[in-house]
């Protein structure tokens, strides 16, 4: 078993951070993981992405051409990673900032208003990445949701209000992801 | 001990501390500046010394000084920085001092790029600087292995009183993987008094020097070094992966070996009998073990995959003595081969030389 997800957005959207949260959650469950950042001559506001590979054996190539899942937080990321998702995989689109979708029929497409969810809970869009992580956990259940919740709890342990908000945002994202997955699976069965 | 999710570069810094190295002199360079960033914070916590030098040349001379004083010492850099440090490395080899160097290789030549590369293979395995010297060069393939080899590098450097180099690349330095620092038991320094300048009250003075004006003495010294470098063959390490029934084997090290492993796993499902021989020490090169596979009648061909235009390829050809055809695939300039293109190359090479399925 080897599962890959790419989180992509512009610098500052926290895509690296949620990738680390996921990797940590998987590692805590005893899975093998690799978190691979994009690095290179980047500029502030430029694109940033990371890939998390989760496996039951030591991770082979950490370079993944076609990830099982892409979580795209802005339009350039959709354009870059949307076509790369493996057939049968999943694409999670931050519909707060991306006003288009994909015409791909061979993958599960989940549109999540990440910034809006964050805005409703905290009054800012800062935790949009947490909504996206929740949606991923719901739509692609590779790592126990409880394990991801535990990572978020640990990271924000010293800030009770921030923790409470982020847990609510994570949960909302999770529910959207999970119902999209259920609808997709039901449709395939029919 | 439980595992920690850690970035390769930071894990290198922590591994050095766990191995008892609490002095570190450096000059930052992408893609490994996080080693310096990490140690600048961590070393004061453990009572260590962090110095950002004015250049890599200076950093390597500081390493020379600390090594001469009998202190466990490491520096880290990336390709252009290692070139600047080769002066120090040559002097340290000439003065027979232990020191650990980590080269997080980036694309070259010149300033090149900042992405992963294996184009410093010649520099790491054939000496690099001036004079007739060699050093143990070790190429780990994961963050965990990088930690283990950095920790082992210190006692190895002390055993041979010689520089040891751990060779990685930007991928290994930048990626995060679970690490367990408990896998290698730290070993204490031994016998430092017999060679280091630790203060000679009540004992004969030790001299740190690499100058021999008498050519006969220098020649004798070079013979002594040669014997030492040959003795390092005791440290040869390599991994054999699915070699038992292979009709073709791939030679790959470091990051590239991970891509090859993924490719082999997929190709095995298609019936290709392909294995991998992964050198872990790239100097000394595991030549004898590789030659035995080259001489095996079952093996029809050999393939080399690396991120340089055929540097390790030369050692592989020499190891198999051209008894088997050697096919070659490379990406260069900072590009890591992907499993897909690697599989395509391996399929073609396998079929070209009559591999069976």
């Amino acid at each position: 078993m080897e599962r890959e997800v790419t989180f992509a957005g512009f610098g500052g959207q926290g895509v690296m951070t949620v990738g680390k949260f996921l990797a940590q959650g998987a590692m805590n469950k005893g899975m093998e993981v690799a978190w691979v950042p994009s690095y290179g001559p980047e500029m502030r506001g430029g694109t940033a992405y990371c890939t998390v590979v989760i496996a039951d054996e030591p991770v082979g190539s950490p370079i993944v051409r076609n990830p099982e899942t892409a979580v795209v937080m802005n339009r350039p990321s959709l354009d870059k990673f949307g076509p790369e998702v493996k057939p049968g995989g999943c694409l999670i689109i931050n519909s707060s900032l991306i006003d288009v979708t994909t015409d791909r029929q061979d993958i599960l497409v989940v549109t999540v208003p990440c910034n809006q969810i964050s805005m409703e809970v905290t009054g800012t869009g800062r935790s949009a990445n947490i909504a996206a992580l929740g949606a991923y956990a719901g739509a692609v259940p590779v790592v126990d949701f409880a394990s991801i919740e535990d990572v978020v709890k640990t990271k924000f342990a010293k800030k009770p209000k921030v923790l409470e908000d982020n847990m609510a945002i994570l949960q909302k994202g999770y529910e959207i992801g999970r119902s999209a997955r259920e609808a997709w699976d039901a449709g395939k069965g029919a | 001990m439980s595992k920690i999710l850690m970035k390769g570069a930071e894990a290198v810094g922590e591994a050095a501390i766990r191995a008892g190295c609490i002095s570190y002199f450096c000059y930052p360079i992408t893609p490994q500046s996080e080693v310096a960033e990490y140690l600048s914070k961590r070393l004061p916590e453990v009572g260590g010394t962090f110095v950002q030098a004015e250049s890599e040349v200076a950093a390597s001379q500081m390493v020379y000084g600390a090594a001469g004083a009998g202190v466990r010492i490491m520096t880290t850099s990336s390709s252009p920085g290692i070139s600047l440090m080769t002066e120090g490395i040559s002097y340290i080899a000439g003065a027979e001092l232990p020191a650990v160097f980590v080269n997080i290789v980036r694309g070259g030549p010149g300033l090149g790029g900042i992405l992963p590369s294996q184009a410093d293979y010649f520099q790491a395995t054939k000496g690099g600087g001036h004079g007739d010297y060699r050093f143990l060069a070790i190429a780990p393939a994961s963050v965990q292995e990088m930690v283990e080899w950095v920790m082992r590098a210190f006692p190895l450097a002390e055993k041979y009183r010689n520089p040891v180099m751990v060779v990685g690349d930007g991928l290994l330095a930048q990626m995060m993987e679970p690490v367990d620092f408990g896998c290698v038991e730290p070993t204490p320094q031994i016998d430092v008094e017999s060679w280091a300048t630790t203060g000679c009250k009540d004992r004969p003075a030790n001299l740190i020097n690499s100058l021999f004006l008498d050519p006969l003495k220098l020649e004798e010294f070079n013979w002594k070094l040669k014997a030492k470098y040959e003795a390092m063959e005791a440290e040869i390490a390599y991994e054999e992966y699915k070699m038992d029934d292979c009709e073709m084997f791939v030679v790959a090290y470091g990051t590239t070996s991970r891509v090859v492993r993924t490719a082999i796993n997929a190709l095995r499902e298609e019936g290709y009998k392909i294995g991998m021989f992964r050198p872990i020490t790239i100097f000394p090169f595991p030549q004898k073990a590789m030659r035995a596979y080259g001489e095996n009648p079952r093996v029809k061909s050999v393939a080399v995959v690396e991120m340089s235009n055929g540097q390790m390829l030369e050692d592989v050809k020499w190891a198999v003595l051209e008894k088997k055809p050697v096919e070659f695939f490379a990406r260069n300039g900072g590009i890591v081969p992907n499993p897909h293109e690697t599989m395509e190359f391996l399929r073609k090479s396998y079929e070209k030389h009559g591999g069976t399925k």
Side-chain angles (χ1 to χ4, degrees):
Chain A
M1 185 273 287
E2 199 159 281
R3 315 281 293 264
E4 319 87 11
V5 51
T6 297
F7 292 92
F10 54 75
Q13 276 186 308
V15 293
M16 299 299 194
T17 304
V18 287
K20 285 181 196 171
F21 285 9
L22 176 66
Q24 183 76 50
M27 191 189 84
N28 292 350
K29 293 300 280 183
M31 297 157 122
E32 297 286 346
V33 293
W35 173 91
V36 186
S38 59
Y39 80 94
E42 306 284 6
M43 60 181 183
R44 186 177 297 200
T47 55
Y49 62 93
C50 68
T51 301
V52 180
V53 185
I54 301 168
D56 48 14
E57 281 177 40
V59 176
S61 172
I63 299 291
V64 177
R65 198 172 70 160
N66 301 108
E68 177 195 39
T69 306
V71 179
V72 293
M73 298 299 285
N74 66 352
R75 179 66 193 270
S77 301
L78 172 65
D79 295 344
K80 184 174 162 76
F81 293 103
E84 302 282 319
V85 174
K86 210 177 270 178
C90 175
L91 177 62
I92 295 169
I93 298 173
N94 175 16
S95 56
S96 299
L97 298 186
I98 307 171
D99 55 8
V100 295
T101 179
T102 172
D103 51 13
R104 286 188 67 171
Q105 303 292 317
D106 61 334
I107 54 173
L108 163 61
V109 179
V110 188
T111 52
V112 191
C114 297
N115 293 63
Q116 194 190 319
I117 292 172
S118 170
M119 191 70 84
E120 281 164 8
V121 177
T122 68
T124 77
R126 274 209 307 237
S127 293
N129 59 337
I130 299 293
L133 176 64
Y136 169 75
V140 190
V142 176
V143 182
D144 237 14
F145 184 55
S147 181
I148 293 172
E149 283 184 310
D150 285 344
V151 174
V152 176
K153 280 180 198 159
T154 312
K155 298 287 174 186
F156 297 116
K158 286 180 188 157
K159 299 173 183 167
K161 176 70 175 105
V162 177
L163 172 59
E164 190 191 323
D165 289 351
N166 277 286
M167 292 304 281
I169 292 165
L170 187 71
Q171 185 66 35
K172 285 191 183 203
Y174 176 74
E175 277 158 20
I176 294 172
R178 196 182 54 180
S179 34
R181 166 62 64 186
E182 280 167 4
W184 171 259
D185 287 348
K188 274 201 298 194
Chain B
M1 191 185 274
S2 64
K3 288 187 173 181
I4 310 169
L5 188 64
M6 227 174 166
K7 199 171 202 180
E10 296 181 347
V12 164
E14 185 60 32
I17 292 176
R18 305 276 176 127
C21 166
I22 56 166
S23 303
Y24 174 77
F25 316 131
C26 68
Y27 190 82
I29 179 171
T30 307
Q32 61 79 55
S33 297
E34 290 91 337
V35 185
E37 185 188 12
Y38 183 82
L39 286 176
S40 67
K41 179 167 172 278
R42 272 288 280 149
L43 282 173
E45 291 172 7
V46 296
T49 306
F50 173 90
V51 178
Q52 180 174 325
E54 67 270 34
S55 73
E56 286 90 344
V57 178
S60 72
Q61 299 296 340
M62 291 177 182
V63 168
Y64 183 19
V71 170
R72 267 199 179 156
I73 186 73
M74 174 181 83
T75 189
T76 65
S77 190
S78 177
S79 309
I82 293 288
S83 288
L84 289 167
M85 286 181 179
T86 49
E87 181 186 77
I89 296 173
S90 174
Y91 275 67
I92 292 165
E96 290 198 276
L97 295 174
V100 174
F101 290 80
V102 178
N103 183 5
I104 300 300
V105 182
R106 54 189 249 182
L111 272 178
I114 60 173
L115 294 170
S117 169
Q118 296 179 322
D120 295 358
Y121 181 89
F122 284 155
Q123 189 193 42
T125 60
K126 312 294 178 192
H130 65 279
D132 213 345
Y133 76 91
R134 312 300 284 264
F135 52 75
L136 265 171
I138 301 158
S142 67
V143 177
Q144 176 66 37
E145 274 194 7
M146 200 145 68
V147 161
E148 291 174 17
W149 282 107
V150 165
M151 291 183 74
R152 289 187 196 116
F154 292 97
L156 284 170
E158 286 153 16
K159 179 176 174 185
Y160 294 101
R161 273 212 273 139
N162 200 62
V164 171
M165 186 176 280
V166 176
V167 181
D169 61 44
L171 192 68
L172 290 170
Q174 293 293 322
M175 73 193 286
M176 291 176 94
E177 286 190 311
V179 289
D180 175 0
F181 289 98
C183 280
V184 176
E185 200 59 40
T187 48
Q189 279 179 296
I190 46 163
D191 196 30
V192 177
E193 298 277 295
S194 72
W195 53 268
T197 51
T198 53
C200 62
K201 191 163 179 267
D202 304 325
R203 68 158 170 83
N206 294 324
L207 182 64
I208 306 294
N209 179 39
S210 67
L211 179 68
F212 296 80
L213 287 175
D214 178 347
L216 286 173
K217 287 224 167 96
L218 184 54
E219 187 186 45
E220 191 187 310
F221 178 63
N222 270 284
W223 288 125
K224 182 188 158 201
L225 290 182
K226 179 175 185 282
K228 181 164 89 171
Y229 304 146
E230 282 168 2
M232 286 178 192
E233 283 179 18
E235 312 305 332
I236 284 176
Y238 55 89
E239 182 200 353
E240 295 159 292
Y241 185 67
K242 297 188 194 279
M243 291 289 282
D244 288 344
D245 62 341
C246 71
E247 294 187 18
M248 176 173 93
F249 69 86
V250 190
V251 186
Y253 70 96
T255 288
T256 318
S257 72
R258 297 177 63 141
V259 179
V260 168
R261 191 183 306 263
T262 295
I264 287 176
N265 287 344
L267 289 172
R268 281 268 167 182
E269 282 179 22
E270 296 174 19
Y272 292 86
K273 295 189 194 96
I274 302 179
M276 174 167 68
F277 189 106
R278 171 170 78 97
I280 297 172
T281 52
I282 48 176
F283 181 85
F285 196 70
Q287 180 231 127
K288 281 180 198 142
M290 197 177 292
R291 182 162 298 161
Y293 281 109
E295 284 167 350
N296 188 322
R298 190 192 63 238
V299 173
K300 297 188 170 78
S301 61
V302 182
V304 175
V305 181
E306 64 178 318
M307 294 188 285
S308 84
N309 284 340
Q311 297 191 17
M312 181 180 67
L313 176 65
E314 293 188 6
D315 282 346
V316 175
K317 282 185 170 169
W318 166 67
V320 301
L321 295 171
E322 303 200 15
K323 285 184 179 164
K324 295 290 152 67
V326 181
E327 298 290 337
F328 180 62
F329 176 63
R331 295 303 306 262
N332 208 335
I335 296 172
V336 180
N338 67 50
H340 184 80
E341 63 192 359
T342 306
M343 282 167 70
E344 238 169 78
F345 156 74
L346 294 178
R347 269 194 212 102
K348 265 190 211 156
S349 306
Y350 189 83
E351 281 156 14
K352 182 176 162 189
H353 299 292
T356 62
K357 282 204 275 176

